[in-house]
């Protein structure tokens, strides 16, 4: 047993490094039957301001104490709708740090239903996307991109979005992604046509 401990520790360290690189700052679980959420230490810190609440069952507004007030109603409505539909839960919203600065989070998870179609539980991760929101493409690319490449960059991002969708994606989201790609393609074609004439 002792021989596997260092290996397990190294695996855990690698996992932490990967999560840190991916800006994963916490995990959450939502028991829909009992109407409680449970956070790990990172999620408890970023959503409630108190890492000591990690592992405890939380409910009510205290579980989302640091969510930006302008995002709270939208977030709750969006999450409840996503839970009702099942499958992937995805939301982007702002939270306040304890010092008052604002951070952007992307919450991604999955909802599971019972045989009767009632939501049982959701589990997910929180990703800090503040640098991407504040710096835009400069954060991703490292240097400000030329203005004429904006449509091409948007098309690349839209293709990535389309590839991220799966069979659990609601049809209206798939249709919106298709429409976005179609409109970007048309805009790129018009831009190219103007350059040639």
């Amino acid at each position: 047993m002792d021989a596997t401990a260092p290996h397990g520790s190294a695996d855990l360290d690698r996992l932490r490094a990967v999560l840190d690189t991916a800006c994963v700052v916490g995990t959450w679980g939502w028991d829909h039957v009992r109407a409680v959420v449970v956070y790990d230490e990172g999620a408890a810190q970023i959503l409630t301001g108190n890492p000591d609440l990690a592992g405890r069952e939380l409910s009510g507004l205290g579980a989302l104490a640091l969510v930006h007030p302008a995002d709270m109603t939208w977030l709750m409505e969006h999450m409840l709708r996503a839970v009702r539909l099942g499958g992937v839960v995805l939301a982007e919203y702002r939270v306040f740090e304890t010092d008052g600065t604002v951070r952007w989070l992307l919450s991604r998870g999955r909802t599971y239903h019972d045989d009767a179609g009632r939501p049982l539980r959701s589990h997910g991760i929180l990703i800090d996307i503040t640098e991407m929101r504040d710096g835009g493409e400069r954060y991703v690319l490292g240097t400000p991109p030329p203005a004429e490449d904006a449509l091409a960059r948007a098309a690349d991002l839209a293709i990535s979005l389309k590839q991220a969708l799966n069979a659990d994606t609601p049809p209206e989201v798939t249709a919106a992604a298709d429409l976005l790609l179609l409109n970007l393609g048309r805009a790129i074609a018009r831009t190219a046509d103007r350059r040639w004439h």
Side-chain angles (χ1 to χ4, degrees):
M1 194 74 161
D2 292 333
T4 61
H7 178 67
S9 177
D11 288 345
L12 187 56
D13 288 343
R14 278 194 295 277
L15 176 59
R16 284 187 184 131
V18 167
L19 293 176
D20 189 46
T21 300
C23 298
V24 174
V25 292
T27 63
W28 54 268
W30 186 0
D31 181 330
H32 301 295
V33 176
R34 297 177 47 236
V36 295
V37 294
V38 177
Y39 300 138
D40 73 351
E41 189 174 324
Q45 173 64 47
I46 204 162
L47 293 174
T48 71
N50 184 353
D52 294 335
L53 294 177
R56 297 185 189 178
E57 293 182 345
L58 306 172
S59 62
L61 293 178
L64 299 170
L66 297 182
V67 171
H68 196 290
D71 292 349
M72 182 64 80
T73 301
W74 170 87
L75 177 63
M76 293 309 301
E77 290 172 357
H78 174 78
M79 293 295 281
L80 291 172
R81 186 172 48 253
V83 164
R84 202 171 47 251
L85 294 172
V88 175
V89 176
L90 193 63
E92 182 179 309
Y93 56 95
R94 294 167 290 178
V95 294
F96 285 110
E97 293 264 25
T98 51
D99 67 1
T101 58
V102 175
R103 290 171 76 179
W104 280 91
L105 295 182
L106 177 66
S107 181
R108 188 186 193 294
R110 183 168 296 278
T111 297
Y112 301 91
H113 289 131
D114 64 14
D115 293 336
R118 293 179 298 250
L120 291 175
R121 66 192 182 288
S122 300
H123 299 283
I125 59 172
L126 296 173
I127 303 167
D128 186 337
I129 59 169
T130 305
E131 290 177 302
M132 289 181 275
R133 291 288 303 197
D134 291 345
E137 290 298 310
R138 288 186 297 277
Y139 172 72
V140 176
L141 299 175
T143 58
E148 61 268 19
D149 291 342
L151 287 175
R153 283 193 330 278
D156 288 342
L157 292 170
I159 291 168
S160 295
L161 168 68
K162 178 69 175 162
Q163 290 171 339
L165 304 179
N166 60 27
D168 293 331
T169 303
E172 63 272 14
V173 174
T174 302
D178 290 339
L179 184 60
L180 175 62
L181 279 169
L182 177 65
N183 286 327
L184 282 167
R186 287 177 177 162
I188 289 169
R190 281 193 304 271
T191 302
D193 189 50
R194 281 195 301 267
R195 286 180 188 155
W196 288 104
H197 290 93

